[in-house]
Amino acid sequence: MSLSQESDAELMVRFARGDADAFENLYRRHESRVFRYLHRNVRDEAAANDLMQEVWLAVVRRAASYQPTAKFTTWLFTIAHHRMVDLIRTTGRLQSLEADGADTPGAGLLDSLAADPKLEPPAEVQSQCEATALLNAVAQLPPDQRSAFLLQAEGDLSVEEIAAATGSSFETVKSRLRYARTKLRQLLWEYA
Amino acid sequence: MTPEDDAQDRELLERYRRASDTLSTAPNDAVRAAILAEGRRVAEQHAAGQRAAEQHATGQRTEGARQEFDVSHPAANDSRWKITATGTAGAALLAALLFAPRLWESGPIVPAASSGAPAVLNSPPQQRAAEQLAAEAQRAQSSSANPSAPRPGSMAPREQSFDAKARAPKLESAAPPSSTPALVAAAGKTIPRATALSPGSDFPAPPQRQADAGVQSPAPAGRSESANAAPAAKSEPPSVSSADRGESKVTLEAPPTGSPAAPMRSQPTAGAALRAAPRVDKVSSGTAPAPAALVSAVASGDAAQTVALLDQGAAIDGRDELGRTPLMRAVLQGRSDLVRLLLDRGADLHVADNTGNTPLQQATRQNSREIIALLEARERAGRAQ
């Protein structure tokens, strides 16, 4: 069985036994999802990179004591969430991030389209515009709703797992997800 | 939530994931390189630790294989054998300390002392006692063979009087008396055997049983002598009190002070030693009646039984469960004859029962004038003495 076919838990066990390739495979498998979760929460690339490094270094340090009792992604996104909350708590950058997302959905997309010669086909332009609008709508969600939605969308966590990762109750998480989806639909409808 | 809502939620999630993939972002190369480098470094550490652990396990297995199990010395294979050995030695020492004094006190049974070499004893005190006993036996033999022969040393008057008694016709044994009660106590079991010696013989004669004269052996008293000198001092010189009545059962009873000497027993050594002790009280032998028996006899007004029990050595001031003495019961019964009998036998008229009543108080309460007179007369006589 190749490394790409092994489960996350198996890769972690192999890494704990000294297999560097297992860790690299595991990292590449979850790199984008973790980074997007962090980036779309803090909306700052430098901060997202710092958080990314902290999260994975934490994974490396805890590999020896890792017990595959839960899904690896749950464990991974729990670490990511805690690191992000710590950063927001220490720097207070959440307020500025919320202010940054107050602009019109898709406004940044138009600027990027003008500067990017590759996005000329109308379908791709439309797709890019829709994607940007959706992501901007996510950025406008309240922090708790946004974090819960991103954990579900990027981490593929269930409501229970989100509740465990964020330290919230099941009903609270369920409510946040419902409000988040309602607001996103509203924003997307307005955009359409 | 309706199924329609679920479909809309799923559609929203799909749209977001497509948008996220379209505008995907990734950490910069430096961060990625740093994370992977740290991952490789830690992986190498884990691998090194894993190898060390395996080597340690392998080394332990090798060491374990090298240490062969010593079947011939199973205790040596126990890592705590020192503790076990120390505990065993301590227990043995404690047991020795506990039992050694008992063995020292009891000592071996002294063989019959012959006229020749004394018996070999383990303990010096017993050896000295045996030597003294042998010397006494030798003197007694010589004196019985030649009464006019001079005796070495001087003897106490009590011993001399005993010797006169020992030469009396009733004396069945020519064994020597012991000089002191302490010696009797120290000699212990040697007394009966020494008395069984016959003159001119190196071997002890068979013990003369009490069937000869109907005398009961004072074996319990002799045994108590060997264990402790105090009981021996309190014991009475044996005398045949019931022989006059022709009874086969004999109790040990002290002769009244000032009365003629009782017939000698077949245990002159013990008798002399016990006579040397002052008369303390009437003490029955090991088969003395219980105090309650005498109280019961008095309560039933059985004068004959009361006399019999007193003759058998029943404690005259023995108490029942209410603390009442036979004298108190006689007062309660109004039996002046029994009161007189008990007073003549030495009953204490000042002994109170558990409620604090003395016989005189009880007699006064009952207005038993004869008994009151008896008690007061005895009390006056006691004060006059």
Side-chain angles (χ1 to χ4, degrees):
Chain A
M1 182 184 291
S2 64
L3 289 175
S4 58
Q5 293 175 330
E6 291 189 12
S7 67
D8 296 339
E10 290 170 344
L11 291 175
M12 275 297 289
V13 171
R14 291 173 62 105
F15 171 58
R17 292 176 182 169
D19 189 347
D21 293 338
F23 175 75
E24 186 172 350
N25 193 285
L26 190 67
Y27 171 79
R28 296 194 183 281
R29 187 181 291 180
H30 300 285
E31 179 192 48
S32 297
R33 300 168 66 188
V34 174
F35 187 77
R36 288 198 299 250
Y37 170 77
L38 295 172
H39 187 216
R40 301 214 163 112
N41 268 296
V42 300
R43 298 198 64 190
D44 181 83
E45 190 169 353
N49 278 305
D50 290 343
L51 284 173
M52 184 73 172
Q53 189 167 344
E54 288 183 20
V55 168
W56 282 100
L57 291 182
V59 170
V60 168
R61 284 194 296 270
R62 299 180 188 180
S65 60
Y66 170 75
Q67 296 292 330
T69 54
K71 205 164 62 174
F72 174 76
T73 51
T74 304
W75 183 62
L76 177 63
F77 277 91
T78 300
I79 295 173
H81 178 77
H82 289 168
R83 296 289 172 177
M84 182 194 70
V85 171
D86 290 342
L87 177 70
I88 292 170
R89 192 175 293 156
T90 54
T91 61
R93 81 183 276 120
L94 192 60
Q95 298 296 329
S96 61
L97 290 177
E98 285 180 344
D100 290 343
D103 51 356
T104 306
L109 178 61
L110 297 177
D111 296 337
S112 63
L113 287 175
D116 192 352
K118 293 186 291 185
L119 299 177
E120 290 181 352
E124 290 185 5
V125 171
Q126 187 177 359
S127 175
Q128 288 280 343
C129 289
E130 182 184 347
T132 302
L134 184 57
L135 296 181
N136 282 336
V138 170
Q140 291 181 43
L141 293 173
D144 291 338
Q145 296 177 18
R146 182 171 65 236
S147 178
F149 178 79
L150 288 174
L151 283 172
Q152 186 181 45
E154 296 289 352
D156 200 17
L157 302 186
S158 64
V159 178
E160 292 86 352
E161 290 168 343
I162 294 170
T166 59
S168 305
S169 68
F170 178 84
E171 292 298 327
T172 301
V173 173
K174 196 173 176 182
S175 175
R176 287 172 182 168
L177 288 173
R178 189 170 63 249
Y179 282 118
R181 285 191 290 263
T182 304
K183 192 163 189 177
L184 285 176
R185 287 193 202 99
Q186 184 180 358
L187 291 173
L188 290 175
W189 182 82
E190 290 175 357
Y191 171 77
Chain B
M1 184 177 288
T2 62
E4 190 178 5
D5 292 334
D6 285 340
Q8 290 179 355
D9 290 343
R10 283 196 294 274
E11 182 188 357
L12 181 62
L13 279 175
E14 289 301 321
R15 289 179 62 181
Y16 168 81
R17 283 168 181 161
R18 281 197 301 269
S20 182
D21 289 340
T22 302
L23 300 176
S24 181
T25 56
N28 60 38
D29 294 339
V31 171
R32 183 183 295 115
I35 291 170
L36 293 177
E38 182 67 11
R40 280 191 292 272
R41 189 188 67 80
V42 173
E44 288 175 2
Q45 285 183 351
H46 290 171
Q50 197 79 11
R51 283 193 298 271
E54 289 176 357
Q55 287 177 356
H56 182 65
T58 305
Q60 279 189 335
R61 282 196 297 271
T62 307
E63 186 70 20
R66 206 178 298 137
Q67 292 177 347
E68 295 179 357
F69 189 81
D70 190 356
V71 182
S72 60
H73 299 87
N77 299 305
D78 189 356
S79 60
R80 296 169 297 180
W81 69 271
K82 287 184 179 177
I83 300 173
T84 306
T86 305
T88 304
L93 181 61
L94 183 62
L97 289 174
L98 286 174
F99 288 103
R102 297 184 183 181
L103 295 174
W104 183 271
E105 287 176 1
S106 61
I109 295 176
V110 180
S114 66
S115 59
V120 179
L121 298 176
N122 289 338
S123 58
Q126 289 180 336
Q127 188 172 2
R128 283 197 299 272
E131 289 171 355
Q132 290 178 9
L133 191 63
E136 295 282 343
Q138 209 163 8
R139 280 201 304 272
Q141 288 172 7
S142 61
S143 63
S144 62
N146 185 11
S148 61
R151 302 179 64 181
S154 60
M155 293 184 68
R158 189 183 300 274
E159 293 174 284
Q160 290 174 356
S161 65
F162 170 72
D163 281 347
K165 295 171 185 173
R167 288 189 295 272
K170 286 187 178 180
L171 185 62
E172 298 173 0
S173 172
S178 60
S179 58
T180 61
L183 178 58
V184 174
K189 299 172 182 175
T190 65
I191 295 170
R193 299 188 183 187
T195 60
L197 280 175
S198 58
S201 173
D202 289 340
F203 298 97
Q208 298 187 5
R209 304 300 297 174
Q210 293 72 20
D212 297 340
V215 176
Q216 194 174 21
S217 172
R223 183 163 183 81
S224 66
E225 288 168 3
S226 66
N228 192 350
K234 296 183 76 171
S235 297
E236 294 293 320
S239 65
V240 182
S241 62
S242 60
D244 297 338
R245 296 197 300 269
E247 295 176 5
S248 58
K249 186 177 180 182
V250 177
T251 57
L252 302 178
E253 186 179 0
T257 306
S259 64
M264 284 305 298
R265 298 281 308 278
S266 62
Q267 308 288 341
T269 303
L274 295 172
R275 269 195 303 278
R279 181 174 184 269
V280 176
D281 195 2
K282 284 191 174 180
V283 178
S284 63
S285 65
T287 58
L294 181 59
V295 176
S296 176
V298 172
S300 61
D302 191 346
Q305 180 69 12
T306 302
V307 171
L309 289 171
L310 286 172
D311 289 342
Q312 290 176 16
I316 196 164
D317 290 326
R319 295 161 174 263
D320 62 4
E321 63 277 3
L322 299 177
R324 296 175 298 195
T325 62
L327 180 61
M328 175 67 84
R329 293 306 301 263
V331 171
L332 287 168
Q333 296 294 323
R335 295 291 299 268
S336 59
D337 57 334
L338 290 179
V339 170
R340 184 178 289 106
L341 170 66
L342 291 168
L343 289 174
D344 289 343
R345 293 289 187 119
D348 190 351
L349 53 89
H350 298 103
V351 177
D353 61 7
N354 291 345
T355 61
N357 283 329
T358 63
L360 182 57
Q361 290 172 339
Q362 184 62 37
T364 304
R365 188 175 293 117
Q366 295 178 184
N367 197 21
S368 303
R369 295 182 179 179
E370 186 180 359
I371 295 175
I372 292 171
L374 271 173
L375 294 172
E376 287 178 346
R378 290 304 171 100
E379 194 170 8
R380 282 194 299 273
R383 279 201 297 266
Q385 289 178 355

